[in-house]
Amino acid sequence: MKIEYNKSLKKYNTFGIDVVAAEFITITSESKLDTILSKSNKNPLFILSGGSNMLLTKNLDMLVLHIAIKGITITEESDKHVHVSVYAGENWHDFVQYCIKNNYGGLENLSLIPGYVGSAPIQNIGAYGVELKDTMTSCEAIHITTREKRIFLNQDCKFGYRNSIFKNDVKGEYIITKVTFKLTKKEHILNTNYGAIKNALTHQGITKPTIKDVSEAVISIRKSKLPDPTKIGNSGSFFKNPVIKINHFINLQKTYPNIPFYKIDKEYIKIPAGWLIEQSGFKGKRWGDAGVHEKQALVLVNYDNASGNEILNVSKKIVTKIKEKFDVLLETEVNII
Ligand code: EPU
């Protein structure tokens, strides 16, 4: 198995941060993964998937395993549904496009999300009213030290808003190798309630959208707001949208009557972090090569050669200001390494 030494990770993280991995192995099969894990029992490992939800702030003085196992199989099929199992190293958007091409419905709203399939369950990726948890039936994972395979059913994953068991109870213990989805073959349940999707479809005069229409609408919305990581380094939303108590929200509303919000329940309200950041004057600001995207303030960007710490400093400025101005504590969505 090929080990690469002092390998630059610039191409392996969507922020495009140039740090180095002491040792780097690309894993292309489950058996290779097992062999490596059996040998590296006590050594620290770093598991790298699509690198689309992390900010690297230092060199990784350890063995990095890049999980690139590929393959898509149909495991079960009926008249109405199909169960599709996908290996962790498949590119997420390519997989979604495979589904659209085959008329498998359920993932169209999650088009164009960067990253690999294997890391999608970790943060329960979501966009435009749909989350991975809505269609994922199970995922398979290997325990890093015991090398035992475990199947996590949907309900085992304790999915929440950008959250799962893999970020909590079993954090850092497993490598997800395969994810299975139950998708529709007909009578697709479209989710077009999100304002921007509705507008895009109406604008095109589409009254009975197909899953392809929805996917295309999502792609055009994302392209219009979110920077393409192959051109400008970024990791999508840098922070989670904060959830605050209703009384706190009512107070904020007195000063900011136009504050957007999503009601969660009787006690809590979610507010868009992008709005808070824009109101604080950060949108489009730049410090050297690190900055805040000009069209979506929730996205921090690396214009060229920013270091992870430069991006992190921008995020700290934002957190401080938002706490001061709104008494809201922003939590990062991106993993800081
Ligand atoms: N807004 C502003 N200024 C900004 C950005 C947003 O005022 O610079 C306001 C918008 O006007 C709107 C609200 O904030 O009223 C929400 O904005 P948007 O629809 O762009 O969504 P978001 O809440 O900023 C979330 C997800 C995105 C996902 C979109 C669409 C999180 C942390 N982010 O963003 O996910 O694509 O909704 O569903 O929940 C990601 O996780 O990386 C990601 C891109």
Side-chain angles (χ1 to χ4, degrees):
M1 214 167 304
K2 192 176 151 204
I3 305 183
E4 297 175 75
Y5 297 95
N6 294 323
K7 173 138 177 122
S8 166
L9 297 180
K10 192 171 168 70
K11 283 193 200 140
Y12 293 87
N13 69 102
T14 58
F15 250 125
I17 305 293
D18 198 5
V19 296
V20 165
E23 296 181 325
F24 183 98
I25 300 179
T26 301
I27 304 286
T28 51
S29 71
E30 286 176 290
S31 62
K32 275 188 186 166
L33 178 60
D34 189 60
T35 309
I36 289 292
L37 292 180
S38 70
K39 287 182 187 160
S40 64
N41 212 348
K42 289 197 177 64
N43 299 327
L45 285 178
F46 184 85
I47 310 303
L48 179 65
S49 180
S52 62
N53 200 40
M54 58 169 65
L55 178 65
L56 295 163
T57 63
K58 52 178 183 281
N59 288 332
L60 301 181
D61 193 18
M62 56 185 113
L63 172 60
V64 172
L65 298 184
H66 177 48
I67 311 298
I69 313 171
K70 289 192 193 297
I72 302 179
T73 40
I74 307 292
T75 52
E76 227 180 290
E77 199 165 359
S78 67
D79 197 28
K80 268 190 166 174
H81 292 104
V82 61
H83 291 241
V84 189
S85 277
V86 196
Y87 275 106
E90 289 286 347
N91 173 282
W92 175 264
H93 179 65
D94 291 348
F95 167 57
V96 174
Q97 290 311 296
Y98 156 92
C99 294
I100 306 288
K101 213 167 118 195
N102 287 286
N103 194 33
Y104 301 154
L107 298 176
E108 51 284 352
N109 293 44
L110 304 180
S111 297
L112 213 63
I113 295 184
Y116 288 4
V117 168
S119 46
I122 299 175
Q123 61 148 342
N124 180 27
I125 58 168
Y128 309 104
V130 171
E131 290 182 326
L132 169 120
K133 74 168 174 54
D134 303 333
T135 47
M136 191 201 92
T137 53
S138 66
C139 63
E140 237 174 72
I142 308 291
H143 194 276
I144 291 179
T145 49
T146 66
R147 287 156 45 218
E148 268 166 34
K149 187 180 279 187
R150 176 166 165 196
I151 311 259
F152 290 85
L153 298 177
N154 183 306
Q155 62 268 30
D156 300 331
C157 294
K158 301 185 181 168
F159 286 127
Y161 166 57
R162 298 294 192 274
N163 208 359
S164 75
I165 193 170
F166 303 106
K167 284 177 118 180
N168 297 292
D169 313 14
V170 298
K171 187 173 178 178
E173 290 180 29
Y174 284 92
I175 299 174
I176 296 174
T177 47
K178 208 194 262 180
V179 188
T180 302
F181 299 88
K182 183 181 179 186
L183 304 169
T184 48
K185 285 170 65 180
K186 58 183 183 187
E187 294 159 32
H188 303 303
I189 304 151
L190 298 182
N191 203 319
T192 55
N193 284 334
Y194 199 90
I197 297 188
K198 248 191 213 157
N199 294 344
L201 294 171
T202 317
H203 189 72
Q204 290 181 67
I206 298 171
T207 48
K208 284 192 179 154
T210 61
I211 55 170
K212 188 163 189 278
D213 293 328
V214 176
S215 169
E216 282 171 2
V218 168
I219 291 172
S220 77
I221 297 162
R222 289 188 77 99
K223 280 189 173 164
S224 72
K225 278 196 186 177
L226 299 167
D228 175 353
T230 62
K231 297 191 179 114
I232 302 176
N234 75 90
S235 259
S237 302
F238 196 89
F239 301 101
K240 287 191 204 177
N241 284 333
V243 173
I244 61 170
K245 286 247 166 129
I246 218 143
N247 287 345
H248 186 175
F249 175 72
I250 291 169
N251 274 334
L252 287 175
Q253 228 181 6
K254 286 180 194 150
T255 323
Y256 308 97
N258 296 327
I259 183 169
F261 64 95
Y262 321 96
K263 199 163 180 227
I264 295 196
D265 54 31
K266 280 186 190 142
E267 261 186 277
Y268 292 101
I269 296 261
K270 196 195 267 180
I271 43 178
W275 184 87
L276 297 172
I277 299 170
E278 180 171 352
Q279 294 301 309
S280 307
F282 285 105
K283 197 170 185 172
K285 279 242 171 128
R286 181 170 174 169
W287 296 261
D289 276 345
V292 179
H293 189 53
E294 57 192 10
K295 293 187 189 139
Q296 190 4 320
L298 190 47
V299 179
L300 302 193
V301 288
N302 171 15
Y303 283 104
D304 190 16
N305 250 325
S307 69
N309 279 312
E310 285 172 301
I311 306 273
L312 188 61
N313 284 339
V314 172
S315 82
K316 286 180 181 164
K317 282 191 225 290
I318 294 175
V319 172
T320 308
K321 181 77 189 180
I322 303 290
K323 177 77 183 127
E324 217 174 79
K325 195 171 160 76
F326 301 101
D327 194 23
V328 171
L329 186 63
L330 289 185
E331 276 177 47
T332 47
E333 199 217 282
V334 165
N335 298 310
I336 314 288
I337 313 293

